[in-house]
Structure formats: C-alpha cells, structure tokens
Amino acid sequence: MVKRPADPTNASAPTARHVPMRDFSRSLPMSLLRAREAVMRQFRPALREHGLTEQQWRILRALAAIEAAEVTELARTAFLLGPSLSRILRDLEARNLIERKTAKADQRRSMVSISKEGVKLMASVAPSSEAIYAEITQRFGARKLVELQEMLGELELCLASTEAREEITDDA
Amino acid sequence: MVKRPADPTNASAPTARHVPMRDFSRSLPMSLLRAREAVMRQFRPALREHGLTEQQWRILRALAAIEAAEVTELARTAFLLGPSLSRILRDLEARNLIERKTAKADQRRSMVSISKEGVKLMASVAPSSEAIYAEITQRFGARKLVELQEMLGELELCLASTEAREEITDDA
DNA sequence: CGCATTCACTTAACATGTTAAGTATTTCCG
DNA sequence: CGGAAATACTTAACATGTTAAGTGAATGCG
C-alpha cells in the first residue's frame, strides 16, 4: 500500500519491503486455502447442526463407502494423519457411530466399521450435503468444476514424487 | 434416493453402502485439501529449518508487504482468524520478530509491524521459498498455474455472497 | 528358539482452526 | 453528560494438524 522509495535512514519508520517476494495474496497455497475455505463455509453449518465436524464427516463417508477398513487404510482414504484419526475414532466410538474389533490374524490391526447409528446419522446429513454440493456445482458450472478438479489432481500428481529424496539431497 | 431395497436383517454384517453419495475421494473439498497439502509439503521443511510455521510465515510476509497494520487488517491479509492471530502475534512478539504499539487515536487498536530481526529472518528464508515456488511453477507449468489460480479465484468469488443470509434462512 | 527390526497403532506435546464469551474502549444518541 | 450498543481485540474451550516418542504385536534371521 505504501510505495515509498528506499529509505536508508529507517530508524523511526517501521521496516518493510526489504525482502521482495511475489505478491503475497496470489501465492498458490493462499489461493488453495481461500478456495477451500469458501467451499467449506458452505458445508460447516449443516454438519454442525448434526454435531459433526468436517473430519468426522469425512471418516463416516469413507466408512460408508468401504464396509470396513483398517485404521491405516482409513487414514489414507479420509486423508487424515494417524494421530488425528486415533483421537477422532475414539470419540466416534464413544458416540456409538462406529465399531471396531481387533483383527484375529494380526492383533496389531483393528478393523473399523460404521455402526447402525452411524448410518442413520449419515442418512440424515447426506441430503443437505448433496444439496449444497449441487448448488456449488450450479454456481460455478459443472464443466468448469470438472476442469478444476482435473487441474488439482495434476498438481498433486506432479508434486507427489518429491517427498522421498529428502534423505538424499539433505547435504546441508 | 436409496437404491438398496430395505434389509430388515442387517445384524451380522457390518452395515455399509447404505447412503449413496458422490465418490468420496472426488469431492471438491477433498481435491482442494489434497492439492494444498501437496504444495505445502514442499515448503514446510524449509520453514521448519528456520523455526517458522506456515502461519507465522504468512504473517511475516504480510507485514513485510504493508509496513504496519492493525490486527484486524492483518487477519484479513494473512487469512487467519482473530484468535489464531492473537496467539501467534504474542509468540512472534516474544521472539522479537514483530513490534506492536497501541494506536494513539484509538486505544483499542494496536499497530503491528515487522522488526529488524523479523526482516532479517525473512531475508534468510525468502530465497529457498522462492526457489521452491519456482520449481513448482516449472513442474506444473507457468501458464497452467495462472489458469488454476484464476479458477480458484472465481470459485471463491462465486461462493462469497452466500454467507450473510444464514440469519434469514435459519427458520429451523 | 531368541532377539533385533519392522509394523500398526496410540500418546504426548505443541500450534492452529473454530466458536463463544470476555474486556476495554469508543461511538451513538437521548 | 451518560448509558446502551458497537468495535477491536483477547481468552477460553474444544477439535484437529503436525511431529516425535511410546507400546505391543508380528517378522526376519542367525
């Protein structure tokens, strides 16, 4: 907002603009964050009415789609980290929305599944969720939405392979 | 909406697939989340080396760009909620990366600015940050990146006006 | 077999997201 | 002027993100 030329005697004035960078508000992470927040803002009230957070809803949806799953598999599907999932499963189990039983073959693993109550809750939320999604689709345009999601998928894909070589390039 | 005929005897098998919905992994919030996570995974190690979190970095960047700002304005710029910002500013101030002074005209407001140390820290992080951004741009394609960000902006815009009418439609 | 290693999770600790409530200041208005 | 209402934060409380460490069970292998 201030376009002042370099000021060599910046003793009184608070320092700024010393480190040139891209315009902050146009960075990719920011764009993604803002877009996602705009979308989630549409859903949160409906979920909240049913006492669900976004992540709890993700887990229920994932479970409804895959019968039963190990915790690790569920984490991958719902895109949650293990510790978050652990906590949430504990709470969902306490609310009787899910069930777990340790696998017979391997005592380390526990199979998680949605309970009858969980299904009932999902059924009561799904309509409004779908309605909201439909409204978003309509506003933004169905074709454009597909296009956007394709680009997002490509972005994810083209960054996916960078993660394993931290060990190698870590020569600092 | 449910395609399955009623099953009165679902006692043994874990219940599932009772609530048909869009394929979970292809929902828009999920796509946005995954894409953003893929991007942030590139940046986090570099920030971490300098003892900064993503949000702290956002605040420093915002401050470097606008000289000084009120807390509310900063929250809008860095896209953080007030409570988060309050906590982070407290910590950044304790680390002498920012400075604050209450405005003379209005004792409620406090002006926040980046400190000399903060500028130094920014200068030490900016190069790797820019390098990472450049690599992402190159991998994904500069033109495609612009296109993606335009779509994200449009999405945000077309959902922006929905927020004020919760009071009105809240007739439940 | 025995034991180090790996594996599947869980706990812990700290930082942020999210909503609600609290505090101090200012403004509005009779 | 004076008190209700609005404003600019801050605190509180709970849930999740993120990394590191812990725990118990399986595996690999000498």
Side-chain angles (χ1 to χ4, degrees):
Chain A
M1 197 195 271
V2 179
K3 299 185 181 141
R4 172 172 60 75
D7 176 8
T9 64
N10 54 350
S12 60
T15 57
R17 287 211 174 283
H18 294 332
V19 184
M21 290 192 70
R22 271 165 298 108
D23 180 2
F24 173 54
S25 63
R26 278 170 211 161
S27 76
L28 180 57
M30 204 56 155
S31 296
L32 289 165
L33 180 60
R34 298 174 67 100
R36 186 174 140 79
E37 178 52 31
V39 173
M40 285 317 301
R41 218 195 303 278
Q42 314 294 316
F43 286 99
R44 259 189 281 269
L47 293 178
R48 189 174 169 70
E49 275 180 24
H50 295 274
L52 287 175
T53 65
E54 180 197 332
Q55 292 82 355
Q56 294 167 345
W57 177 238
R58 283 221 298 276
I59 292 173
L60 290 183
R61 282 189 68 178
L63 284 179
I66 59 180
E67 295 281 340
E70 301 171 12
V71 172
T72 300
E73 184 189 356
L74 187 54
R76 197 171 34 72
T77 306
F79 207 67
L80 292 169
L81 294 177
S84 296
L85 186 54
S86 256
R87 283 177 304 213
I88 301 175
L89 288 180
R90 168 166 46 73
D91 299 348
L92 290 179
E93 190 177 19
R95 287 166 65 182
N96 293 317
L97 296 175
I98 64 163
E99 290 159 5
R100 28 184 6 178
K101 46 186 175 185
T102 58
K104 289 171 283 287
D106 186 340
Q107 301 282 1
R108 292 172 303 181
R109 302 165 195 269
S110 78
M111 303 302 290
V112 185
S113 57
I114 192 169
S115 72
K116 203 175 295 186
E117 265 193 72
V119 171
K120 241 169 58 183
L121 179 56
M122 276 209 70
S124 77
V125 180
S128 37
S129 171
E130 289 293 292
I132 292 168
Y133 202 89
E135 163 118 13
I136 293 173
T137 304
Q138 190 207 323
R139 285 198 190 197
F140 187 62
R143 194 161 311 165
K144 215 153 77 173
L145 184 55
V146 171
E147 205 183 324
L148 172 58
Q149 288 184 283
E150 279 170 5
M151 293 189 81
L152 292 173
E154 286 177 42
L155 175 60
E156 189 187 348
L157 198 63
C158 90
L159 299 180
S161 47
T162 320
E163 284 136 50
R165 61 172 207 225
E166 280 160 27
E167 310 296 84
I168 301 169
T169 53
D170 185 23
D171 53 348
Chain B
M1 195 197 259
V2 179
K3 298 168 194 160
R4 176 185 56 85
D7 176 11
T9 64
N10 54 350
S12 60
T15 57
R17 290 206 175 283
H18 292 335
V19 184
M21 290 191 70
R22 271 165 297 109
D23 180 1
F24 172 54
S25 63
R26 278 171 210 161
S27 76
L28 180 57
M30 205 54 155
S31 296
L32 290 165
L33 180 60
R34 297 174 68 100
R36 186 175 140 78
E37 178 52 30
V39 172
M40 285 317 300
R41 219 195 303 276
Q42 315 293 315
F43 286 99
R44 259 190 281 271
L47 293 178
R48 189 173 170 70
E49 276 180 23
H50 295 274
L52 287 175
T53 65
E54 180 196 333
Q55 293 82 356
Q56 293 167 345
W57 177 239
R58 285 220 299 274
I59 292 172
L60 290 183
R61 284 189 66 178
L63 284 178
I66 60 180
E67 297 279 339
E70 302 170 11
V71 173
T72 301
E73 184 189 354
L74 187 56
R76 197 170 34 74
T77 306
F79 207 67
L80 292 168
L81 293 178
S84 296
L85 186 53
S86 255
R87 282 177 304 212
I88 300 176
L89 288 180
R90 167 166 47 71
D91 298 348
L92 290 180
E93 190 178 18
R95 287 166 67 182
N96 293 316
L97 296 175
I98 65 163
E99 291 158 4
R100 28 185 5 178
K101 46 186 174 185
T102 58
K104 291 171 283 286
D106 187 338
Q107 302 281 1
R108 291 171 304 182
R109 300 164 196 269
S110 79
M111 303 302 291
V112 186
S113 58
I114 192 168
S115 72
K116 205 173 295 187
E117 265 194 72
V119 171
K120 243 168 58 182
L121 179 56
M122 275 209 70
S124 77
V125 181
S128 37
S129 170
E130 289 294 292
I132 292 167
Y133 202 89
E135 163 120 14
I136 293 172
T137 303
Q138 190 207 321
R139 284 197 191 198
F140 187 62
R143 193 161 311 166
K144 214 153 79 173
L145 184 55
V146 170
E147 205 183 325
L148 172 58
Q149 288 185 283
E150 278 169 6
M151 293 189 82
L152 292 171
E154 285 176 43
L155 175 60
E156 190 187 347
L157 198 62
C158 90
L159 299 180
S161 48
T162 321
E163 285 137 46
R165 59 173 210 223
E166 280 161 26
E167 311 294 86
I168 300 168
T169 52
D170 185 23
D171 52 349

